[in-house]
Amino acid sequence: MAKVLINGYGSIGKRVADAVSKQKDMEVIGVTKTKPDFEAKMAVDKGYKLYAAIPERKSLFEEKGVDIEGTIFDVIEDADIVVDCAPGGIGKENLENIYKKYNVKAILQGGEKAQYVEDNFNALWSYDRCYGKDYIRTVSCNTTGLCRTLYAINSATDIVKARVVLIRRGADPNDAKRGPINAIVPNPPTIPSHHGPDVCSVVPELEGKIITSAVIVPTTLMHMHSLMVETTGTTKDDIIDAIEKTPRIFTVSAEDGLNSTATIIEFARDLGRVRYDLNEIAIWKESINVVDNEVFLMQAVHQESDVIPENVDCIRAMLQMEDDNMKSIEMTNKAMGLMK
Ligand code: NAD
């Protein structure tokens, strides 16, 4: 059993903790919080051992009567790997100040820069490269969504160049600090946006071939991507077939009422998914088209949950628990109840 410590039990951390707990070959030995809020209390209620991420804050938990086992430094030496789920930028500090000092393997999240780590993870593209490594980043929600779909297209044909417009959610549903609420914001205002280079951190073969631009809109449910991918030649049927064969992406039909991110999330709710998570990328079937060897499609990405199964596979790769990425994907999917 691999012993996993989750450092930062927020939107991503609590989902990774639950996904790891469901696997047969790994267990959560603890989760950390910086403050004794409702998430900390619920973590304890769920049976997770809770530790203070910042030692000086341990007394805050005790004052509030929240059961705390100690600080991160009381548990870190028992961990085979830490999944860092702290806010963007803090993961790098934790890497330098804690993980490297304690010589423990660590996974950082997409809010960190690609160059801080040995390599960048997506289960389809870079499992083998990350196998046995010590410090890896699972890429962001947008990059994960793009990597999966580009993998499908690449399995049907050769990619000459890719152009992507990303329409990004303004805030997560639990976030009262961010916006916009009445605008569409080019973000970043420069083209290319950072998303293309981020895809290249996983797929170096696309270096110089992918250009992305992004805007932020007032919605919380999902991101949406519009892809235009020039290839050496393919057909619409081949692309649909490749999507069907690729794990963690699937087609939805506007004709069935799945005509917006709102109804796609309703679909996830009706599936009974916890926190209405849709870990798979939904591609609108009607949007898939091929014109003059150029593939067009639109997809929806559930920002809070698509990276979760990737973190589980990344643990297996880094701890050399399974050398076949497709077998790890299958194990993770089965345990989490994913469609494919
Ligand atoms: P969050 O704010 O929901 O959760 C972060 C948690 O870390 C909080 O519980 C916070 O208290 C805790 N924390 C703060 N300082 C800490 C420290 N020094 N050490 C340990 N924990 C600390 O953030 P999130 O949305 O879960 O994002 C975490 C990471 O995942 C970021 O890199 C982010 O870019 C990335 N990510 C987020 C999303 C998303 O949609 N939310 C999607 C993909 C990737």
Side-chain angles (χ1 to χ4, degrees):
M1 269 307 223
K3 293 183 168 53
V4 182
L5 176 66
I6 313 291
N7 194 21
Y9 190 77
S11 299
I12 298 298
K14 61 188 168 189
R15 287 173 168 84
V16 173
D18 290 352
V20 166
S21 304
K22 287 188 176 142
Q23 311 298 316
K24 285 191 188 132
D25 53 351
M26 51 186 83
E27 62 177 328
V28 176
I29 60 161
V31 304
T32 78
K33 282 290 299 174
T34 49
K35 47 184 184 297
D37 60 5
F38 76 97
E39 282 177 332
K41 290 176 191 160
M42 287 184 81
V44 176
D45 288 346
K46 285 180 88 162
Y48 293 124
K49 288 189 171 162
L50 181 69
Y51 296 85
I54 299 169
E56 305 82 72
R57 301 223 183 145
K58 187 176 161 223
S59 56
L60 296 180
F61 292 81
E62 289 159 347
E63 282 159 24
K64 285 267 177 196
V66 177
D67 254 344
I68 190 141
E69 308 282 331
T71 78
I72 184 170
F73 299 106
D74 295 316
V75 66
I76 193 149
E77 280 168 306
D78 298 333
D80 296 317
I81 192 161
V82 181
V83 185
D84 186 289
C85 302
I90 294 180
K92 186 201 177 224
E93 287 172 24
N94 288 341
L95 175 65
E96 297 304 329
N97 300 337
I98 306 178
Y99 314 138
K100 285 188 177 171
K101 256 189 205 157
Y102 281 83
N103 205 17
V104 61
K105 289 185 186 243
I107 298 175
L108 304 190
Q109 302 303 315
E112 308 302 325
K113 295 221 160 64
Q115 64 268 25
Y116 297 158
V117 285
E118 291 167 277
D119 214 327
N120 295 277
F121 186 83
N122 171 266
L124 293 166
W125 285 101
S126 59
Y127 191 98
D128 292 350
R129 277 184 1 230
C130 297
Y131 199 73
K133 291 266 163 53
D134 291 333
Y135 306 114
I136 295 293
R137 180 182 72 126
T138 51
V139 288
S140 74
C141 45
N142 281 309
T143 307
T144 297
L146 288 176
C147 285
R148 285 187 194 154
T149 304
L150 291 169
Y151 181 91
I153 296 172
N154 189 61
S155 68
T157 178
D158 288 327
I159 295 173
V160 177
K161 65 182 185 192
R163 304 289 179 252
V164 184
V165 179
L166 298 95
I167 296 118
R168 304 168 62 191
R169 61 91 179 92
D172 283 345
N174 68 350
D175 191 350
K177 294 193 294 284
R178 286 166 46 153
I181 61 166
N182 72 339
I184 299 171
V185 184
N187 188 297
T190 46
I191 300 180
S193 71
H194 59 274
H195 304 92
D198 210 40
V199 168
C200 297
S201 75
V202 177
V203 193
E205 302 91 291
L206 288 177
E207 201 79 57
K209 295 183 181 176
I210 179 166
I211 303 275
T212 52
S213 63
V215 298
I216 298 188
V217 298
T219 183
T220 61
L221 298 175
M222 300 182 97
H223 300 299
M224 216 203 89
H225 299 162
S226 181
L227 280 77
M228 291 142 272
V229 183
E230 200 179 308
T231 71
T232 51
T234 187
T235 64
K236 185 172 156 175
D237 285 346
D238 284 349
I239 295 299
I240 292 174
D241 194 44
I243 290 168
E244 263 159 29
K245 288 190 183 126
T246 303
R248 298 178 185 160
I249 61 175
F250 71 114
T251 55
V252 293
S253 176
E255 216 180 29
D256 290 342
L258 294 169
N259 54 2
S260 71
T261 54
T263 48
I264 290 175
I265 288 299
E266 187 67 3
F267 173 67
R269 286 155 57 132
D270 288 346
L271 283 175
R273 291 287 179 87
V274 175
R275 305 181 177 104
Y276 69 67
D277 285 352
L278 192 68
N279 310 91
E280 306 89 337
I281 306 303
I283 299 173
W284 276 284
K285 200 165 187 174
E286 290 89 341
S287 73
I288 302 169
N289 203 357
V290 178
V291 182
D292 291 339
N293 296 337
E294 191 166 358
V295 178
F296 296 87
L297 62 83
M298 289 192 278
Q299 65 182 21
V301 174
H302 185 225
Q303 75 277 0
E304 297 164 289
S305 73
D306 69 330
V307 302
I308 307 306
E310 304 293 330
N311 275 278
V312 174
D313 293 325
C314 189
I315 292 170
R316 266 196 207 101
M318 290 172 71
L319 294 178
Q320 297 174 294
M321 296 161 70
E322 169 57 64
D323 60 12
D324 181 338
N325 68 328
M326 289 300 177
K327 280 194 186 147
S328 176
I329 288 173
E330 208 181 308
M331 283 161 79
T332 306
N333 288 2
K334 200 169 160 216
M336 289 181 68
L338 269 57
M339 284 177 271
K340 70 184 187 93

